[in-house]
Amino acid sequence: MPASQPRSRARDRNNVLNRAEFLSLNQPLKGNQESRSSSRKQSGQAGTAGAQNSNPKERRQSQQLPEEDCMQLNPSFKGIAFNSLLAIDICMSKRLGVCANRASSWGGARSMINLLGITGHGIPWIAGTLICLVKSSTLAGQEVLMNLLLALLLDIMIVAGLQKLAKRKGPYDINPGLLDYLTMDTYAFPAGHASRAAMLSKFFLNHLVLAIPLRILLVLWALCVGFSRVMIGRHHITDVLSGFVFGYLQFRLVELIWMSSNTCQMLISIW
């Protein structure tokens, strides 16, 4: 036994696999393990210190980025539907803008379409209402004309306020005219001509005795005035449709605050 132990020790020393470079392949040295663990601790401490020193807003933004990316990659159904309808509205409005400029397909009819738009402008209607009011001698006529003047003024103010809130541009880059600046009709939504035409046609249908052909012509005039603004490239289709809706609502508002004959006489006397 004593002789066999020195022999086994010598055999272990002479074995090549027991050398340090071969043992390190399967069993890393303790010094390397300690150095790696210390480097990991230092890097972890540096990371926590950097995270503590970083701005809280940046940390919130980094936490919110994945959620924002998910919202952009997975939009809601309402957002997709709204953007699709908006794209269709812009595309159809550009195609129907056949009189937007002289080079358009119906560029020769631009002057006639502009003239049709003037028939729905607020300034000629206000001026005509004032002239008729001065020349009117009946109490019933003065009452209708005073309420019509009130409806026209309300239309201008309501449409101008809504356009300032929406600030939507038209399908074509067309500068507003002088009359548009006077009535503050400088944006596209809602269409002021369409709202005024709808309000006037409804007002005349309710308060004037007209034959059936005239009633039909009055409705056709309102529709032509509204869609002429699309043909000239000034408004989108949805601007005109919303203008018709607002015109009807303005008529209902005037009916609610209808001024009596005594009130109209008092205002006329003051004037």
Side-chain angles (χ1 to χ4, degrees), residues 15-267:
N15 192 0
V16 179
L17 296 176
N18 289 330
R19 293 181 182 177
E21 56 269 21
F22 291 98
L23 289 173
S24 63
L25 294 175
N26 296 323
Q27 297 178 358
L29 297 176
K30 293 182 179 180
N32 292 333
Q33 290 179 352
E34 293 176 355
S35 62
R36 288 175 185 173
S37 62
S38 62
S39 63
R40 288 175 183 172
K41 289 180 181 178
Q42 290 176 359
S43 63
Q45 291 176 357
T48 54
Q52 291 176 357
N53 294 328
S54 63
N55 195 350
K57 293 183 179 179
E58 295 178 356
R59 281 185 289 174
R60 288 195 216 102
Q61 290 177 356
S62 63
Q63 292 175 358
Q64 292 176 357
L65 282 176
E67 297 178 0
E68 292 175 357
D69 293 340
C70 292
M71 291 298 293
Q72 292 177 358
L73 294 175
N74 299 308
S76 62
F77 175 76
K78 292 182 180 179
I80 294 174
F82 177 77
N83 291 330
S84 300
L85 291 175
L86 187 62
I88 293 172
D89 178 35
I90 295 172
C91 180
M92 292 298 295
S93 301
K94 285 184 175 292
R95 288 191 177 186
L96 292 175
V98 293
C99 302
N101 48 57
R102 293 292 181 184
S104 301
S105 57
W106 289 17
R110 182 179 172 82
S111 300
M112 184 176 65
I113 300 299
N114 276 325
L115 182 61
L116 181 61
I118 290 175
T119 62
H121 205 281
I123 297 299
W125 277 101
I126 291 175
T129 303
L130 289 174
I131 293 172
C132 293
L133 186 60
V134 170
K135 293 185 176 181
S136 178
S137 58
T138 61
L139 296 178
Q142 292 176 354
E143 179 183 351
V144 172
L145 289 171
M146 282 296 295
N147 284 280
L148 177 60
L149 182 62
L150 173 64
L152 291 169
L153 294 176
L154 283 176
D155 175 75
I156 290 175
M157 292 187 292
I158 291 173
V159 170
L162 291 173
Q163 287 187 358
K164 290 294 183 181
L165 289 175
K167 292 185 178 180
R168 188 186 187 188
K169 300 289 186 179
Y172 291 91
D173 190 11
I174 298 175
N175 294 324
L178 178 60
L179 294 178
D180 296 328
Y181 280 111
L182 290 175
T183 56
M184 296 173 288
D185 188 8
T186 55
Y187 291 99
F189 180 87
H193 288 66
S195 68
R196 195 170 302 111
M199 185 269 296
L200 288 172
S201 62
K202 185 64 177 173
F203 188 92
F204 290 148
L205 289 174
N206 273 43
H207 297 285
L208 294 181
V209 179
L210 300 173
I212 292 178
L214 291 177
R215 297 171 78 87
I216 295 174
L217 287 175
L218 191 60
V219 174
L220 290 176
W221 167 78
L223 293 174
C224 291
V225 168
F227 285 102
S228 69
R229 309 301 289 173
V230 179
M231 295 174 64
I232 209 167
R234 185 73 171 78
H235 296 278
H236 299 87
I237 298 174
T238 52
D239 300 333
V240 173
L241 294 178
S242 61
F244 288 150
V245 174
F246 282 115
Y248 177 77
L249 295 177
Q250 289 165 10
F251 166 75
R252 300 301 302 175
L253 177 62
V254 172
E255 291 293 311
L256 289 175
I257 59 174
W258 184 268
M259 294 185 294
S260 63
S261 179
N262 294 330
T263 305
C264 294
Q265 292 301 314
M266 182 184 66
L267 293 175

